[in-house]
Amino acid sequence: MTNIIIAGAVGLILSMLGTPLAIRLFSRRGYGQEIREELAASTSGHQGKRGTPTMGGTVIVLAALLAYGASHLATLEPPTVSGLLVLFLMTGLGAVGFLDDFIKIYKQRSLGLRSGAKALGQLVVGAVFAFMVVREPNVYGITPAETRLSFLRDIGPSIGIVGFTIWVLIMIVGFSNAVNLTDGLDGLASGATGTVLAAYILIGNWQLRNNCIDQLGPNCYWVRDPLDLAVVAASVLGALIGFLWWNAPPARIFMGDTGSLALGGVLAGLAIATRTQLLLIILAGLCVIITLSVIIQVGSFKLTGKRVFRMAPLQHHFELKGWKETTIVVRFWLIAMLCSALGLGLFYVEWMPGA
């Protein structure tokens, strides 16, 4: 538990103090946000956001990495393979996002990497993670993941290394893009992912207390490094809260694709390593709903030539309906909290008497 507290506290402090430095540095270099033309033309609130420093996700990633390292130095406990793999996934996807953000700034446009190049970067990082996550067993022979699907724990037979790799890539690309689509309003993605990270701190701690190595039982968990996964979640959550202090409306800095892709990677990595892959769909329900709104919008327009929403992703639909930005953000945060609470409830339900 000490690791978790140290990781969260250090991440919070580093991000809280580091973000203003990033704001000054990025402002001095002209690393400002470009706004989608149709959005800037339709909502006056977004016109004033052009030029706001972006790439703030670099602060989140660096603060989380330093916080994770500090927690292990303070407790003299070595890092684990599971924790390092999830951090690798976060950093690798953050690097893809950084390149995307940098191209937007350099070319002064709202589009960065071409979709194919961006997807290739995500797939390469994801493939390395998928290759490593089913290797490196501990002394009990438990690897960070198994080649099986999981909900509250691993379920069903093995889907094979090829099938599992494809599934992991779908999760990584899907959730990194889902968080990316959730971004766009001040503080929205930060709050939405923060609730999921908080849930994974609780999940990792519970799996530690009920692991099969210490107490073999019908509901115990075969998870390789549950405590360190909770430390990873706490590191990122602390960094995210510190960043949110400056990203809250009206935002003084945006996380950019650097932050959104990295955060999506962390969520996918934690779900895979804690054996709760399908549960993540519920825990991160807001991100899933927003992604579905884009799929519905594109599918409807291609099939019928008509749009279901005034604009996608969903948060911009409500903007065009006249909702204030802060109203949308707070209400969407509430939805995110409810989704995470529902996911946690399902996670704990099998431990209820008579379940």
Side-chain angles (χ1 to χ4, degrees), residues 12 14 47 74 83 118 151 153 184 207 225 245 252 283 333:
L12 172 63
L14 289 177
Q47 296 173 11
K118 189 174 180 179
F151 180 47
R153 58 185 74 249
Q207 290 177 332
D225 308 297
W245 182 267
R252 293 184 56 189
L283 290 169
W333 279 356

Side-chain angles (χ1 to χ4, degrees), residues 326-343:
T326 50
T327 301
I328 299 170
V329 170
V330 172
R331 287 178 177 174
F332 276 39
W333 279 356
L334 292 174
I335 294 171
M337 292 176 191
L338 290 172
C339 290
S340 293
L342 175 61

Side-chain angles (χ1 to χ4, degrees), residues 8 49 68 79 93-94 122 124 136 149-150 187 200 217 256 311 350:
K49 295 184 179 184
Y68 176 82
L93 292 178
Q122 292 171 299
V124 169
E136 301 298 330
L149 299 179
S150 62
Y200 272 114
M311 185 181 292
E350 66 179 356

Side-chain angles (χ1 to χ4, degrees), residues 71-114:
S71 71
H72 284 281
L73 284 174
T75 57
L76 300 179
E77 294 183 6
T80 66
V81 171
S82 300
L84 292 176
L85 281 174
V86 175
L87 290 175
F88 160 77
L89 185 59
M90 174 188 74
T91 307
L93 292 178
V96 175
F98 181 88
L99 184 58
D100 187 51
D101 286 333
F102 187 79
I103 291 174
K104 291 176 186 175
I105 294 166
Y106 182 76
K107 295 193 174 181
Q108 295 293 297
R109 65 188 191 190
S110 60
L111 296 175
L113 281 172
R114 295 185 181 276

Side-chain angles (χ1 to χ4, degrees), residues 174-192:
F175 278 99
S176 59
N177 287 331
V179 176
N180 185 241
L181 291 172
T182 303
D183 197 17
L185 298 184
D186 298 352
L188 179 56
S190 301

Side-chain angles (χ1 to χ4, degrees), residues 2-347:
T2 303
N3 310 52
I4 296 173
I5 295 172
I6 294 173
V10 173
L12 172 63
I13 293 169
L14 289 177
S15 184
M16 182 80 78
L17 299 178
T19 303
L21 300 177
I23 292 172
R24 288 196 289 271
L25 175 62
F26 295 159
S27 296
R28 193 179 304 125
R29 293 181 174 273
Y31 293 171
Q33 176 71 42
E34 292 297 319
I35 307 297
R36 286 168 57 182
E37 293 181 6
E38 66 272 27
L39 193 58
S42 302
T43 56
S44 58
H46 282 270
Q47 296 173 11
K49 295 184 179 184
R50 181 175 276 113
T52 301
T54 187
M55 294 198 300
T58 54
V59 179
I60 299 173
V61 172
L62 290 174
L65 292 174
L66 291 172
Y68 176 82
S71 71
H72 284 281
L73 284 174
T75 57
L76 300 179
E77 294 183 6
T80 66
V81 171
S82 300
L84 292 176
L85 281 174
V86 175
L87 290 175
F88 160 77
L89 185 59
M90 174 188 74
T91 307
L93 292 178
V96 175
F98 181 88
L99 184 58
D100 187 51
D101 286 333
F102 187 79
I103 291 174
K104 291 176 186 175
I105 294 166
Y106 182 76
K107 295 193 174 181
Q108 295 293 297
R109 65 188 191 190
S110 60
L111 296 175
L113 281 172
R114 295 185 181 276
S115 58
K118 189 174 180 179
L120 178 61
Q122 292 171 299
L123 290 173
V124 169
V125 174
V128 174
F129 175 83
F131 177 81
M132 295 299 298
V133 80
V134 291
R135 288 164 175 78
E136 301 298 330
N138 61 10
V139 294
Y140 300 101
I142 307 172
T143 53
E146 294 286 344
T147 56
R148 299 162 64 188
L149 299 179
S150 62
F151 180 47
L152 306 179
R153 58 185 74 249
D154 288 332
I155 54 175
S158 169
I159 58 175
I161 188 64
V162 175
F164 181 75
T165 300
I166 294 172
W167 169 242
V168 167
L169 292 177
I170 291 172
M171 282 195 65
I172 291 171
V173 174
F175 278 99
S176 59
N177 287 331
V179 176
N180 185 241
L181 291 172
T182 303
D183 197 17
L185 298 184
D186 298 352
L188 179 56
S190 301
T193 53
T195 61
V196 185
L197 290 168
Y200 272 114
I201 294 174
L202 297 175
I203 287 173
N205 191 51
W206 185 257
Q207 290 177 332
L208 172 68
R209 294 174 182 274
N210 297 279
N211 70 85
C212 295
I213 295 171
D214 293 335
Q215 45 185 357
L216 187 63
N219 291 330
C220 65
Y221 300 98
W222 290 103
V223 176
R224 191 188 191 282
D225 308 297
L227 175 60
D228 207 37
L229 293 171
V231 171
V232 170
S235 301
V236 182
L237 178 59
L240 194 58
I241 293 173
F243 176 79
L244 182 57
W245 182 267
W246 305 98
N247 181 236
R252 293 184 56 189
I253 188 171
F254 300 137
M255 68 169 64
D257 283 15
T258 308
S260 59
L261 294 188
L263 290 173
V266 166
L267 299 188
L270 287 171
I272 292 164
T274 59
R275 319 289 178 93
T276 57
Q277 300 156 17
L278 296 175
L279 185 64
L280 180 59
I281 297 173
I282 300 171
L283 290 169
L286 176 64
C287 298
V288 174
I289 292 169
I290 288 175
T291 303
L292 287 175
S293 74
V294 175
I295 295 172
I296 292 170
Q297 183 85 327
V298 174
S300 176
F301 187 75
K302 287 187 175 181
L303 292 174
T304 68
K306 297 181 180 179
R307 293 180 172 87
V308 176
F309 307 103
R310 295 188 181 186
M311 185 181 292
L314 188 61
Q315 59 268 33
H316 298 314
H317 166 78
F318 290 106
E319 273 195 294
L320 295 184
K321 286 187 62 122
W323 288 24
K324 292 183 179 180
E325 181 174 2
T326 50
T327 301
I328 299 170
V329 170
V330 172
R331 287 178 177 174
F332 276 39
W333 279 356
L334 292 174
I335 294 171
M337 292 176 191
L338 290 172
C339 290
S340 293
L342 175 61
L344 279 175
L346 290 173
F347 179 76

